[in-house]
Amino acid sequence: MAGDSPGRIFILGLDGATFDLIDPWVAQGKLPAFSALFREGVKGVLESVVPPLTTPAWVSFQTGRTPASHGLFSWVRRVGVCDQEPFNRTHITAQTLDSILSRHGLRVGFVNVPCTYPPRQVNGFVVSGLETPSRESSFTYPPSLKDELESRFDYEIERTQKFRSGQERSFIQIVETVEKKRAEAVLALMSEKPWDVFMVVFRGTDILSHALWRHHDPSHPAHTPEGGATFGTALLEHYQFMDDIMGRIRNLLSPQDSLLVMSDHGSCGYWRHVFLDNLFLRHGLLRYRKDFFVSLRRLLFHLGATPANAMEWLSRLHLRNLIRRIVPQDRRIRATNVVSLGSAIDWSRTAAFPFGGAGQIYINLKGREPQGCVDSGAQYDAIVERVIRALSDLTEPLTGESMVAEVLRKEDLGADLLNPLVPDLFVRWTQDRYGDFGGVGIHKGLMTGIQTDFSGAHSMRGIFLAAGPYFLRNATIEGARIIDLAPTILYLLDLPVPSDMDGRVLREAFIPERLVGKPLRFEETHGDGQEGRHTYSLEEKELVEERLRTLGYIS
């Protein structure tokens, strides 16, 4: 209805949340706030992006664009041929929701949204998330908000601790301690700060799914009756914890406000890590230099002197933090390069290589890659076919089934062949049970055994729920994608949608009568006012990579 105020919008992000867990628990009466939202709002599976990883998915939410459009496909970006550095907010070339809203004069509050570090100047406040190096970093806008959060709530961004089987109880306590502090801070900010659009992301639903899925799921090969009896309800208990927080958030909203609940991807069981570099080596797609020192390193590698084993030994002996404190970083990097085979690649004879994890594969194309050796056209197509045939060799030892569901090509995502940011191929793993880290020369063998420390994975099926005066009640929609939410939010707020967004407005989620006199308007793309590229210092880079590594996100 023309002239109606759309009210405020609260966006609750639950990283990795899935209806595969929520629906049966709602049916059993175990999630009362979710149950109320089902009755009083609209819901639908929210399709994630390819690949369904935290950073590219949340950036797609913020920009309304696919990874092929905004350029972030992983937690790290390529530097040179095969080096890496973590992504941060300044790597996003598209305009983001917080900047669009601020430009139109709306007051925003964004808390713990991935890829918001370093925090930008907005009309409101920002508390950055996953890519923040440490509590010593300047992680808020305005900067004074950091002192307030730490003094009042002992606020933490995310603790860096690797989960190991047998540490379930302490790990759950650590995750929920951080989330409780975040929840109390959010509830206070909601009540005390002026805002038109507030967003927070809670990551415990994702972190605990990675660690505890096998205990919840009796069909997981690593499930045990003992583990199920002790920790089989741990995921439910955490979802109940978040259900309570959602209820408290909703109690602070007025009848004119809207609540959107979403996840960046879903969650499911995870069985094994796959090492694509070793697969490509076996098929002659990746080659190492032929000299004495490389041959010696390869011998030591096959005897077990791998970077992965070295890190494991140091962790078990509690020496990693000590070495980080007493050994200069440049020496640690040199030592890693000596042990790793990644620096021994013969690029003149390497046709394909993995990078970035989640099944991302690059062809060593002339004119695009720094040391490319593959011609475009027929030779490129032949290498792609060789890679696909090599992937077909991967079968699950327990069942004999193929581990690869399909292989997507660059053009399937609408990307140009010469775009260096978009991988040439993506592996879609069978039932999302498998994954790779994208490293070279880190692990030996083609795959691990069944995972116990990292037994949950990401799926393409996220969640979308919305309730408020404009939304349908007790309704379900189909076909919603994460890239559709930014244009839908702008439309709800009577703001024009940037013409470069790939997503669409989810008009089917609204009450039809409320759309009368509410036209869909577009605007030309505006610059996002970025102040320049932020480069992590060596220490910051190491801190962020260590967090990603302990979470099981990178090798």
Side-chain angles (χ1 to χ4, degrees), residues 187-297:
L187 293 166
L189 292 170
M190 281 183 70
S191 302
E192 300 168 11
K193 305 285 186 184
W195 56 273
D196 298 300
V197 178
F198 196 121
M199 179 175 185
V200 60
V201 173
F202 289 93
R203 290 206 356 95
T205 38
D206 179 77
I207 295 170
L208 292 180
S209 289
H210 285 309
L212 305 175
W213 192 275
R214 72 185 181 103
H215 297 312
H216 155 78
D217 181 6
S219 70
H220 193 283
H223 181 84
T224 64
E226 298 78 16
T230 307
F231 299 108
T233 62
L235 285 181
L236 167 61
E237 290 162 7
H238 187 74
Y239 271 77
Q240 290 175 319
F241 166 70
M242 293 311 310
D243 187 82
D244 177 70
I245 291 172
M246 183 168 71
R248 295 170 67 187
I249 288 171
R250 201 170 180 198
N251 287 339
L252 293 177
L253 301 177
S254 76
Q256 290 74 41
D257 297 334
S258 296
L259 172 64
L260 274 65
V261 182
M262 61 167 294
S263 65
D264 52 335
H265 52 73
S267 294
C268 59
Y270 186 82
W271 287 20
R272 302 178 193 272
H273 299 319
V274 180
F275 307 125
L276 292 179
D277 57 326
N278 294 332
L279 177 71
F280 293 173
L281 184 67
R282 177 178 294 185
H283 285 266
L285 292 160
L286 184 149
R287 297 180 182 274
Y288 293 121
R289 296 193 308 273
K290 295 180 178 179
D291 62 50
F292 171 78
F293 291 105
V294 171
S295 298
L296 177 60
R297 286 158 65 185

Side-chain angles (χ1 to χ4, degrees), residues 431-501:
Q431 298 185 43
D432 299 306
R433 288 174 174 169
Y434 312 103
D436 71 290
F437 289 127
V440 174
I442 306 296
H443 304 264
K444 59 183 296 187
L446 287 184
M447 63 188 74
T448 64
I450 294 295
Q451 289 293 292
T452 56
D453 294 348
F454 192 89
S455 62
H458 297 176
S459 77
M460 290 288 291
R461 295 167 54 84
I463 70 168
F464 167 70
L465 296 133
Y470 278 81
F471 290 102
L472 295 170
R473 295 171 63 89
N474 194 28
T476 300
I477 63 171
E478 297 181 354
R481 303 167 298 172
I482 195 168
I483 59 173
D484 297 331
L485 295 192
T488 299
I489 290 165
L490 294 173
Y491 175 71
L492 177 58
L493 293 167
D494 295 322
L495 296 177
V497 176
S499 58
D500 64 349
M501 285 190 172

